[in-house]
Amino acid sequence: MKFALSMVALVLAALIVPFLIPGTGKQEGFDPNANLPWQIEVDGQGGARVFGVSPGLQTLGEVRAILGGEPEVAIIAAPNEIGSLEAYYTQLPLGFVLAKVILVVDVAPEAIIAMRDRALKAEHMESTTRKIRLHPDDLAAADAMRVKAISVIPTVNLDEATIVQRFGEPAERLPVSDKRVHLLYPDKGLDVVVDADGKELLQYVAPRDFALLREPLLKAAEVQ
């Protein structure tokens, strides 16, 4: 259910209470107000830092050490596509926000093809998308590859007003449908997908690499 904009109390609850992770406030060294999705530090040279991570600069191994836990690493491929190498956390605390997190690894298409040839197993996910598990040698090598993008799916639904309150006014709005819109923040390296019928998606890259997020949206709009 989307947040009721007409009720201030519900909006405040949507901003804070649903994100709270039971017991985290009691964990030694845990700061619920640090590394939140809207706490983006830009360096003025085309780079940015969020969750303690600098997209485009740090390797998968370095990012895993920062975020903790053991993500599942695999190639995710739609039909007739080479796919992308991703590390997936089913649940990760980002300050007091609980979310699914996907790390997209920077790998050349020919390298992904070679990994697929050596892969041990492939299985179907939702619809016809496939998850291809890496050979152990490729899994170890992935730790030395850079993370180019971070995708975050909060466990609760957000609305556009809440996003704007936290991140500010977007530089550009690109509607996909009556119920789905991309809010673009190129100076932050951020694309927020607001979906009235599903979960919101926050995508982070270095600001210098913002074309990675925007250009596919423009191409899709041309096709429509």
Side-chain angles (χ1 to χ4, degrees), residues 193-205:
V193 186
V194 182
D195 191 335
D197 291 334
K199 293 292 187 181
E200 278 60 53
L201 171 65
L202 289 71
Q203 301 180 91
Y204 302 84
V205 296

Side-chain angles (χ1 to χ4, degrees), residues 1-4 10-11 13-15 18-19 98 153-160 162-163 193-202:
M1 180 180 293
K2 290 294 174 180
F3 302 145
L10 286 182
V11 172
L15 291 174
F19 288 144
L98 197 61
I153 305 173
T155 55
V156 297
N157 288 340
L158 308 174
D159 59 18
E160 186 170 339
T162 302
I163 295 296
V193 186
V194 182
D195 191 335
D197 291 334
K199 293 292 187 181
E200 278 60 53
L201 171 65
L202 289 71

Side-chain angles (χ1 to χ4, degrees), residues 1 13-14 21 38 44 52 75 83 87 93 96 104 107 119 128-129 136 140-141 145 174 187 190 197 223:
M1 180 180 293
I21 305 168
W38 48 88
I75 295 170
F96 59 74
V104 182
V107 189
T128 55
T129 301
M145 300 174 183
L174 291 179
D187 59 326
L190 172 68
D197 291 334
V223 173

Side-chain angles (χ1 to χ4, degrees), residues 94-118:
L94 305 172
F96 59 74
V97 176
L98 197 61
K100 296 179 181 178
V101 176
I102 301 169
L103 309 174
V104 182
V105 183
D106 192 3
V107 189
E110 56 270 21
I112 291 182
I113 293 173
M115 289 180 181
R116 291 185 60 159
D117 290 341
R118 293 188 293 267

